[in-house]
Amino acid sequence: MKRLILLLIVPVLTLVGCNRDDDFGGNNEIKPVPFTINIKYDASKYPSVADKGVANVTVILKNTATEDQIVGKTDANGELKLDAVLPGSYSVQAELQLKQSEYEQQLGEETSYEIVHFGGFDEKVTINANTSSKLVRIISGNLGDLVIKQYYYAGSDNKLGANFRDQFIEIHNNSDQTIYADGLYLVFLEGNVNSNVTTYTLSNGQYDWSKTAGGGASANTDYVYSNILIKIPGSGNQYPILPGKSIIVAQTAINHKMPFDDINGTGIAIQEPDRTVDLSHADFETYMGDYNISIGKKPFAWDIQNIMVPDMQVAYWSIASNDLILNVNSMLGLGILRATDAEVASWQKVAAPKAPTGTLFLQIPKNYIIDGIDITDKEQKVPKDFPADIDASRTFIVNLLGQAEGTFSGFSVIRKTKEIISGRVVLQDTNNSANDFVTIKANPRGYAQ
């Protein structure tokens, strides 16, 4: 049973609306407790106002077991005071929009954006008789002109469709100017695949990278860590993205609705073409055959090269896979960035804290990230990869009933359409994936309805 409680006037609430026996059974009574959520600005980015509470922040408190939600706004002191909350484990999501004038007045710095979005997120908040409050800090994201539009990581049916061969990423030009894709990087993040707290993790279960990268807390706040970094080719002005248009980066740029022969000449049938997509007209593909041969590895049997589609360039690759297989269990966070070859070469390579003598991953300063999307697993147990200023929350594929969807569904997450200006499509970008993305059947160059 899922319930949504809105606090519209006075942010004080008793959670009601369901018989106690429905949630807990029998006579096992759990007594509600008072709880306060404090919202402040991020201390590192806004030190001058870090001690001041932030008013009018929308707070979503979600019980991770029952999915019940409490929604309210902070008062003038930056507090959302709740006088009765059932004990349990909760996530807290905070959202704020400031107009340009409000931003400049409150933070004492100028911005060129008419609206600035702030977000904060904490996935593991325990509420019981021994805890009375929680501080959540909010931060604004990097608002860029290029955004990730569609992330198709689920793949289609592994028997009737194309398995994971039809995965793709779509990038959209959200500006009113032509932007060249030349030299743009796609980055896939490395992170812990469960939220178990150990000696090598933070309190949310994510790796404590300071144990292998050094640098103290900044190793976890100022950087992201990558197992795959691939680059769009070009000399600088070869591959334009027109205003309101997008580009497709395919794993394999073929029509996956049609049967084909793999690199060994074995025929691959497609029993139900409607389950998959046609990527033969993708803008780029991640063909890995030549790269694998260059490092002494055998090419992947399904990695077919479309000679009419430019190949992505491998800048860094530290996973065992010999193709761009978007692992639906690892839930790779995806970002786009720009950097020079010299900058990429200068970035440190470090081992994961879980295996300090194992595989090395690329340490990337987060200020290079233009846009990022954090995704989660079906049970939502994988910790966040991106800091909150890149993605304030996370998104995931849901089925028609609104439930988290598993693998090989043929579904994709896609960014909502905000508006259409003189025929130019502008997508929603609040730096909060939970707000910005919805689920559709994978549809290259399509839009959310």
Side-chain angles (χ1 to χ4, degrees):
M1 182 181 297
K2 184 176 180 180
R3 303 180 295 279
L4 177 65
I5 298 98
L6 294 175
L7 309 181
L8 298 178
I9 302 176
V10 181
V12 180
L13 160 149
T14 300
L15 183 61
V16 295
C18 185
N19 187 296
R20 193 181 304 279
D21 290 348
D22 290 343
D23 285 338
F24 305 103
N27 297 316
N28 296 327
E29 184 175 345
I30 296 181
K31 295 182 179 180
V33 297
F35 194 75
T36 298
I37 299 169
N38 301 288
I39 304 296
K40 296 183 178 181
Y41 287 114
D42 180 81
S44 61
K45 191 169 184 179
Y46 311 106
S48 64
V49 293
D51 295 329
K52 183 180 179 181
V54 187
N56 296 317
V57 177
T58 299
V59 178
I60 303 171
L61 184 69
K62 181 177 180 180
N63 187 300
T64 56
T66 66
E67 296 191 351
D68 294 343
Q69 294 184 16
I70 301 171
V71 180
K73 285 195 174 184
T74 56
D75 59 20
N77 298 316
E79 296 180 336
L80 174 62
K81 295 182 178 180
L82 307 172
D83 60 12
V85 181
L86 291 174
S89 178
Y90 288 79
S91 66
V92 178
Q93 182 175 321
E95 304 168 3
L96 175 68
Q97 295 183 25
L98 292 181
K99 297 179 181 178
Q100 184 179 30
S101 58
E102 294 172 328
Y103 178 94
E104 294 176 349
Q105 180 180 11
Q106 291 189 31
L107 299 175
E109 58 183 55
E110 294 184 352
T111 179
S112 60
Y113 294 99
E114 295 182 2
I115 299 291
V116 180
H117 298 272
F118 290 79
F121 193 64
D122 195 321
E123 292 182 291
K124 288 190 172 184
V125 177
T126 299
I127 297 179
N128 56 37
N130 299 317
T131 60
S132 60
S133 65
K134 176 65 180 180
L135 170 64
V136 176
R137 293 191 178 273
I138 59 174
I139 191 169
S140 65
N142 299 323
L143 300 178
D145 292 327
L146 292 178
V147 295
I148 297 166
K149 175 186 173 184
Q150 192 168 181
Y151 190 12
Y152 177 45
Y153 59 87
S156 55
D157 192 281
N158 58 359
K159 294 181 180 178
L160 304 177
N163 205 310
F164 48 72
R165 300 186 300 270
D166 58 354
Q167 295 170 327
F168 69 87
I169 293 104
E170 186 171 2
I171 300 168
H172 183 84
N173 180 357
N174 227 22
S175 77
D176 60 358
Q177 302 292 320
T178 296
I179 298 175
Y180 289 91
D182 306 49
L184 188 71
Y185 287 90
L186 295 186
V187 55
F188 299 86
L189 300 194
E190 172 67 14
N192 198 6
V193 296
N194 62 65
S195 57
N196 298 332
V197 178
T198 72
T199 57
Y200 54 80
T201 72
L202 302 169
S203 60
N204 68 348
Q206 187 52 274
Y207 289 146
D208 180 358
W209 289 96
S210 67
K211 294 185 178 300
T212 49
S218 65
N220 301 303
T221 59
D222 297 354
Y223 300 89
V224 296
Y225 297 82
S226 174
N227 48 39
I228 297 174
L229 185 66
I230 52 178
K231 179 183 178 183
I232 292 177
S235 60
N237 57 0
Q238 288 182 251
Y239 303 112
I241 312 175
L242 299 178
K245 301 299 182 180
S246 62
I247 58 171
I248 300 289
V249 179
Q251 181 196 118
T252 304
I254 64 173
N255 184 356
H256 294 276
K257 295 176 176 288
M258 301 292 293
F260 69 98
D261 291 340
D262 67 17
I263 64 173
N264 301 313
T266 302
I268 306 297
I270 300 295
Q271 297 186 44
E272 295 187 11
D274 288 345
R275 291 180 179 268
T276 183
V277 294
D278 179 0
L279 294 177
S280 60
H281 300 290
D283 299 277
F284 305 95
E285 71 172 353
T286 309
Y287 171 68
M288 297 286 295
D290 294 339
Y291 174 80
N292 283 314
I293 292 172
S294 72
I295 61 173
K297 292 182 66 174
K298 183 178 180 180
F300 190 57
W302 291 343
D303 194 9
I304 307 300
Q305 185 179 30
N306 182 342
I307 61 172
M308 301 301 294
V309 176
D311 295 334
M312 296 290 286
Q313 298 173 353
V314 177
Y316 191 75
W317 195 278
S318 64
I319 61 173
S321 173
N322 54 0
D323 199 5
L324 181 64
I325 300 173
L326 305 177
N327 191 314
V328 291
N329 295 315
S330 297
M331 300 288 109
L332 303 178
L334 166 67
I336 54 177
L337 65 86
R338 285 196 188 275
T340 66
D341 291 344
E343 287 170 330
V344 172
S346 71
W347 292 340
Q348 185 180 193
K349 300 175 180 65
V350 300
K354 183 178 181 179
T357 61
T359 302
L360 299 180
F361 303 96
L362 198 61
Q363 183 189 53
I364 301 174
K366 71 176 184 181
N367 60 323
Y368 284 86
I369 304 292
I370 298 170
D371 189 37
I373 172 176
D374 237 327
I375 58 172
T376 182
D377 56 315
K378 184 176 181 181
E379 288 79 24
Q380 301 183 58
K381 293 182 179 179
V382 173
K384 266 181 67 63
D385 290 325
F386 277 115
D389 55 337
I390 296 177
D391 190 352
S393 64
R394 300 192 290 182
T395 189
F396 53 91
I397 291 170
V398 298
N399 60 24
L400 298 178
L401 299 176
Q403 300 166 330
E405 183 60 64
T407 62
F408 307 117
S409 62
F411 289 148
S412 175
V413 291
I414 188 170
R415 195 176 289 272
K416 299 174 185 176
T417 299
K418 178 185 177 183
E419 57 187 340
I420 299 177
I421 303 174
S422 301
R424 176 173 64 89
V425 177
V426 179
L427 303 181
Q428 180 169 302
D429 182 19
T430 67
N431 280 92
N432 187 329
S433 290
N435 289 339
D436 293 344
F437 285 83
V438 294
T439 298
I440 65 164
K441 186 180 184 300
N443 183 14
R445 303 190 208 283
Y447 294 95
Q449 299 299 316

